[in-house]
Amino acid sequence: MSAPKKLFIKTYGCQMNVYDSERMAEALGGQGYETTDRADDADMILLNTCHIREKAAEKVYSELGRFRALKDEKPDLKIGVAGCVAQAEGAEIIKRQPMVDLVVGPQSYHRLPELEAKTQTGAKALDTDFPEEDKFEHLAARPKAKRGPTAFLTVQEGCDKFCAFCVVPYTRGAEVSRPAARVMGEARDLVERGVREITLLGQNVNAYHGHDGGLSGLIRELAGIDGLERIRFTTSHPNDMDDDLIAAHGEVDKLMPYLHLPVQSGSDKVLKAMNRKHTAAHYLRLIERIRAARPDLLLSGDFIVGFPGETEADFQDTLDLVEAVGYGQAYSFKYSARPGTPAAERETVSGDVADERLQRLQALLSKQQRAAQDAMVGREVDVLFEKAGRMDGQMVGKSDHLHAVFVTSDAVKRGDLARVRIVESASNSLSGEVVGPAR
Ligand code: 5AD
Ligand code: SF4
């Protein structure tokens, strides 16, 4: 048998790309590839790209430029571009960077083996279709090897919401849900391989309709899997938080008390211009109902500042909403015009104004994040340990609320779920002492 070929994948962007990279590595495993974490060691380099914010394509071209020397040294090296930039740019990538051998969009990863074989004949391989067949059904079965205690599992892809700023409906296509039976099968497999926490992924995951009971139906069924201890999901749209999903937060012990629920802006005028189809008051009422179901829920959100037409008063509405909600975690971005989206045609807010607003918003969000963390000091939390820390004897894991928690103890190892008393809060993590097994 010939020695395995080496595959180097660099992943940009969201968690769905992390999941996709794993599945691409598995698909190419059948072609004799093993993964490597060194580009200079690779027989194939794949960039799994993200197109959500500005300059994504430019970054990909400059990253590709950096691989030129490797390709000159090793002409058999294959270079591929996957992900949302591949979808958006298509053949243009090969035109601008002729050393690229393969371009594959997110809906065609199951075709990677054929595409790779084509590159071995010296031809270019391009596939940015939205095929009829379901890529998940055509991907090779997942290997049985042991793996770490946490995993992502994509259950829904694409989006029909068409927020005016967002490329996802164009790069990932229409909303598609995987059938519940398939998801359950993959989840059981993951648990057999050592996974104790699963994060269900979808661009609009709470619109999942592959189960008769929707996302909450799937979560309730997943909770029945012995050995699966924790369930999370991301990312959600406020308008798809139905009554049963809210109720599940109070009823399903394995569903973690953490919710990423982007609102983007606190101004009704801006929300309307963004085509979000809800108001700030609607969002606040929703948060109240979710907190009634699960009072200790930690909320996370996404915000965009400097959206076309945003005035200082609109921005103040965003700050007011943030004050009213109290986020434990948040991501905030300066608006960036994405070609092909409706908002890209509109007049933009000056870059300096947007920068300054972003700073003010981030200061407030960091303060809230720190307060949520500090409030954990003195409390006992369950932590799922994922890996060794940098210091001797140190282990790090995540609490139910997704805080990173460090302990120095030989009583816990990777994959253990333990009860920890929090003693200190640092800028982006907590530290504590193990007090026993998880509750
Ligand atoms: N400009 C800035 N931020 C954006 N996001 C999506 N599109 C854009 C854009 N054009 C942000 C949104 C979304 C998150 C994943 O990225 O806040 O929720
Ligand atoms: Fe993009 Fe999310 Fe809006 Fe869908 S709901 S268009 S993924 S921001």
Side-chain angles (χ1 to χ4, degrees):
M1 225 176 85
S2 56
K5 289 183 279 186
K6 297 275 172 62
L7 170 69
F8 172 77
I9 305 188
K10 184 159 180 181
T11 307
Y12 300 82
C14 65
Q15 293 152 326
M16 193 172 287
N17 270 5
V18 175
Y19 176 86
D20 283 343
S21 290
E22 263 179 37
R23 299 303 308 257
M24 285 194 275
E26 289 165 7
L28 288 170
Q31 304 295 104
Y33 282 92
E34 270 178 5
T35 52
T36 171
D37 48 18
R38 286 179 44 198
D40 57 3
D41 204 24
D43 299 289
M44 175 177 263
I45 294 175
L46 259 185
L47 298 182
N48 189 7
T49 60
C50 169
H51 205 230
I52 197 93
R53 281 174 294 275
E54 220 163 5
K55 303 203 181 87
E58 291 315 310
K59 271 187 223 148
V60 171
Y61 287 117
S62 74
E63 183 79 33
L64 286 170
R66 304 216 328 247
F67 295 134
R68 182 179 302 280
L70 283 178
K71 180 107 176 175
D72 286 345
E73 238 170 70
K74 201 178 187 182
D76 284 344
L77 170 67
K78 302 297 175 201
I79 296 186
V81 180
C84 294
V85 173
Q87 189 64 44
E89 295 273 300
E92 183 64 22
I93 296 178
I94 296 174
K95 230 195 256 162
R96 272 187 61 179
Q97 278 288 6
M99 66 169 186
V100 170
D101 301 282
L102 185 156
V103 174
V104 59
Q107 301 315 319
S108 304
Y109 294 156
H110 56 298
R111 294 178 175 167
L112 261 175
E114 300 154 47
L115 297 169
E116 190 274 344
K118 190 168 172 193
T119 67
Q120 293 303 336
T121 69
K124 304 282 183 198
L126 171 79
D127 194 336
T128 52
D129 290 351
F130 285 104
E132 293 268 315
E133 77 263 17
D134 176 355
K135 76 171 175 198
F136 294 108
E137 294 211 15
H138 288 78
L139 277 166
R142 306 203 70 168
K144 296 287 175 206
K146 275 275 167 220
R147 50 171 297 158
T150 63
F152 295 128
L153 203 176
T154 295
V155 301
Q156 179 277 337
E157 233 188 304
C159 185
D160 297 340
K161 289 278 187 288
F162 290 92
C163 297
F165 50 81
C166 184
V167 286
V168 166
Y170 312 96
T171 55
R172 291 272 171 169
E175 232 171 78
V176 178
S177 292
R178 296 177 67 190
R182 297 243 161 206
V183 175
M184 290 299 297
E186 195 172 327
R188 284 194 197 96
D189 265 10
L190 288 168
V191 171
E192 272 170 29
R193 293 167 58 195
V195 169
R196 306 188 76 185
E197 170 179 315
I198 289 180
T199 301
L200 304 174
L201 298 180
Q203 264 99 24
N204 189 11
V205 73
N206 59 343
Y208 175 78
H209 56 264
H211 189 286
D212 290 343
L215 183 65
S216 55
L218 177 68
I219 289 170
R220 290 176 192 277
E221 201 177 327
L222 282 166
I225 299 181
D226 278 342
L228 178 61
E229 308 294 346
R230 291 171 150 190
I231 302 166
R232 306 181 187 275
F233 63 90
T234 195
T235 284
S236 299
H237 190 287
N239 290 358
D240 292 315
M241 284 305 294
D242 65 28
D243 292 347
D244 193 58
L245 186 54
I246 295 174
H249 280 92
E251 295 166 3
V252 180
D253 287 345
K254 291 182 181 179
L255 181 59
M256 292 292 99
Y258 182 99
L259 179 64
H260 183 65
L261 196 61
V263 65
Q264 315 293 356
S265 168
S267 151
D268 288 345
K269 186 192 92 192
V270 173
L271 287 169
K272 192 160 195 304
M274 285 177 165
N275 193 32
R276 291 288 293 181
K277 299 198 172 78
H278 62 77
T279 61
H282 169 252
Y283 181 83
L284 290 171
R285 255 197 323 275
L286 182 61
I287 298 295
E288 240 171 62
R289 289 174 54 220
I290 301 167
R291 281 189 168 144
R294 183 75 203 232
D296 72 332
L297 188 100
L298 189 141
L299 266 164
S300 163
D302 288 341
F303 298 89
I304 295 177
V305 302
F307 187 77
E310 183 190 72
T311 63
E312 176 58 28
D314 294 321
F315 175 65
Q316 194 58 52
D317 288 345
T318 299
L319 294 177
D320 291 348
L321 178 138
V322 170
E323 289 282 8
V325 171
Y327 288 90
Q329 174 69 266
Y331 305 88
S332 45
F333 312 100
K334 191 164 102 167
Y335 169 71
S336 84
R338 313 307 296 125
T341 60
E345 311 297 317
R346 304 179 196 158
E347 199 171 323
T348 52
V349 168
S350 107
D352 288 350
V353 170
D355 280 334
E356 189 267 338
R357 286 180 191 162
L358 186 62
Q359 271 181 26
R360 275 193 282 161
L361 177 61
Q362 288 185 338
L364 175 60
L365 290 168
S366 314
K367 199 175 80 185
Q368 292 191 343
Q369 184 179 336
R370 186 62 192 256
Q373 241 186 240
D374 293 352
M376 304 310 283
V377 175
R379 284 173 60 182
E380 286 186 7
V381 299
D382 289 342
V383 176
L384 177 58
F385 287 96
E386 291 171 29
K387 56 183 184 211
R390 243 179 285 158
M391 291 191 329
D392 231 17
Q394 201 182 42
M395 289 293 295
V396 59
K398 296 276 166 56
S399 73
D400 289 357
H401 295 95
L402 212 54
H403 286 127
V405 178
F406 286 85
V407 300
T408 303
S409 163
D410 45 21
V412 288
K413 58 182 189 317
R414 185 178 199 214
D416 283 353
L417 196 52
R419 193 85 181 154
V420 173
R421 185 182 311 108
I422 302 299
V423 294
E424 207 184 318
S425 165
S427 62
N428 265 314
S429 64
L430 299 168
S431 55
E433 289 159 359
V434 177
V435 295
R439 292 269 161 84

